[in-house]
Amino acid sequence: MAAVEFALVVPILLLVVFGIIDFGIAFGNYESVRSGTREAARLGVVNDLSNAPACTINGATITPPPNPTTSADGTNALICKAKNRIGLDSGKTKVRVTITGQAVGDSLQVCASFPVTALTGLTVPFLSNQTLTSSVTMRLEQVPAFNSYTEPGVAC
């Protein structure tokens, strides 16, 4: 009798435990996307684009110069800093940068998205095709050295 009860309870218990694991990882990734997007927006509004790390943009590895001098290099630097601050797989993290103008006081919006994955595989029906997104809008405090850019595949 105990074996039958055990056989009935264990699958449900495992589903709950693995669900907690998968949703916990998804929530941690969501917090990374949120805080990284906010930090990237702050770096953008103060025009802090120096010493950006290399990252993957649109499938290609980009290494921005230490002190960007062109708007294309500045845009790449901001996107790489956003992906670095988010801290997840830069190939899967997609970023959109939108500015309303080139003057102090105009708006900068940084939006990032990252796909949700199921580590255990048991929660795939609930998590498949889901995307974590975060968008932050701030006012420019300095004239931007970058342009608007939308990375293909961004979900926001």
Side-chain angles (χ1 to χ4, degrees), residues 7-8 13 16 28 37 90 104 112-113 126 139 148 154:
L8 291 173
L13 179 65
V16 169
T37 303
S90 81
V104 172
S113 62
F126 305 105
R139 288 187 176 193
S148 295
V154 70

Side-chain angles (χ1 to χ4, degrees), residues 22-90:
D22 280 345
F23 283 103
I25 291 170
F27 184 73
N29 288 347
Y30 175 66
E31 287 299 317
S32 295
V33 170
R34 277 189 50 184
S35 64
T37 303
R38 185 193 54 76
E39 289 178 30
R42 180 66 188 148
L43 292 172
V45 297
V46 298
N47 224 14
D48 182 5
L49 305 175
S50 61
N51 300 318
C55 69
T56 303
I57 300 175
N58 198 17
T61 301
I62 304 295
T63 305
N67 293 306
T69 56
T70 67
S71 61
D73 287 341
T75 304
N76 288 339
L78 181 58
I79 291 170
C80 286
K81 281 196 168 203
K83 290 183 177 201
N84 179 262
R85 294 300 196 272
I86 290 170
L88 301 172
D89 182 358
S90 81

Side-chain angles (χ1 to χ4, degrees), residues 37 41 96-100 107-111 135-138:
T37 303
R96 183 184 74 203
V97 175
T98 307
I99 53 177
T100 58
S107 293
L108 163 68
Q109 181 184 44
V110 177
C111 183
S135 179
V136 176
T137 303
M138 294 184 179

